Amino acid sequence: MAHNELQAIMSILTTEDRHHGTAAGPPPVVTVSRDHGAGGEAIAAALAERLGVRCYDRDILDRVVASATSDPALMRVLDERAPEHSGMFLYTTLLGRDDPVPEYQRLLTRVIHGIAAHGGVILGRGAHLLLRGEAAFRVCIVGSEGACARRLAGGNEAAATALRDEVRAVNARRTAYLRDLFKVERDDPRHYDLTLNTDRAGDPATVAAVIDAARTAMPHKA
């Protein structure tokens, strides 16, 4: 991505976030990792509203990576899928192309840190690994396979049975994404400041727990 293109996108982020700023102190930054169907998306959105910052999901990150190159392999990576090694071998060796993954990693790092400078709740994309220490409060939302499938099915037990495979497949894809790009295991608790199981807790209770924990861990931000 050209420097001026990245600067233009970061200007968009700055403009869109101006009305979310706090009166004093650095803006809060929370990363939310989640099991598929655990309610992480709804929790992240509600958390951002409570904290007065923007929730960053696929929208902003898709726009940035799409501007980096026309190569579809980058979009495959962005969608929390690590490209298969066999595919990358064919791409880089037989087609004589550069491996797009290093470019994606560099770009993602710049974008995540740019978002963090303005505050926000960042969903997925390994943001919890790119923002460590006091840079962000890192949350992981988990749930049992059955509970996640039932949530996706809206409580319909028959549909939930069919959705178990989807829950398993999406979680496996996210695990491979972090393992291949960051060389870590997704369920390693050392990479999170707080892990919450939503099998019994509803979204409001989970959001309240995250805010209370963030205030304790990062009083200057939360």
Side-chain angles (χ1 to χ4, degrees), residues 155-198:
N156 185 315
E157 289 294 336
T161 300
L163 284 169
R164 282 176 176 262
D165 288 341
E166 177 185 315
V167 170
R168 194 176 302 115
V170 173
N171 287 340
R173 190 168 68 233
R174 291 174 179 170
T175 296
Y177 174 87
L178 295 182
R179 182 181 295 153
D180 290 350
L181 294 183
F182 297 98
K183 312 305 180 187
V184 301
E185 295 301 317
R186 189 172 68 95
D187 59 357
D188 188 338
R190 293 172 295 181
H191 298 305
Y192 307 102
D193 300 304
L194 178 68
T195 298
L196 289 173
N197 187 317
T198 58

Side-chain angles (χ1 to χ4, degrees), residues 194-222:
L194 178 68
T195 298
L196 289 173
N197 187 317
T198 58
D199 281 6
R200 293 185 176 183
D203 291 354
T206 305
V207 171
V210 172
I211 291 177
D212 287 343
R215 283 173 174 162
T216 300
M218 305 171 64
H220 60 294
K221 289 192 175 185

Side-chain angles (χ1 to χ4, degrees), residues 6 17-18 24 30 32 57 76 83 86 91 97 105-106 119 123 142 154 162 167 175 182 187 204 214:
L6 181 60
D17 284 343
R18 280 174 182 166
V30 179
V32 177
D57 193 355
R76 290 170 56 200
S86 59
Y91 183 89
R97 305 284 184 86
Q105 290 176 307
R106 290 193 299 270
L123 192 64
V142 302
V167 170
T175 296
F182 297 98
D187 59 357

Side-chain angles (χ1 to χ4, degrees), residues 42-63:
I43 290 169
L47 184 60
E49 183 177 358
R50 288 281 301 275
L51 293 174
V53 295
R54 177 165 179 165
C55 181
Y56 292 94
D57 193 355
R58 187 174 302 171
D59 52 355
I60 295 296
L61 297 181
D62 275 359
R63 287 159 59 187

Side-chain angles (χ1 to χ4, degrees), residues 110-152:
R110 295 174 68 182
V111 172
I112 293 297
H113 281 272
I115 291 173
H118 303 292
V121 176
I122 307 173
L123 192 64
R125 304 306 185 276
H128 65 293
L129 299 170
L130 297 172
L131 301 173
R132 303 181 183 226
E134 293 190 1
F137 189 70
R138 304 170 301 168
V139 180
C140 185
I141 306 298
V142 302
S144 65
E145 187 176 289
C148 290
R150 285 191 294 274
R151 183 178 285 106
L152 291 171

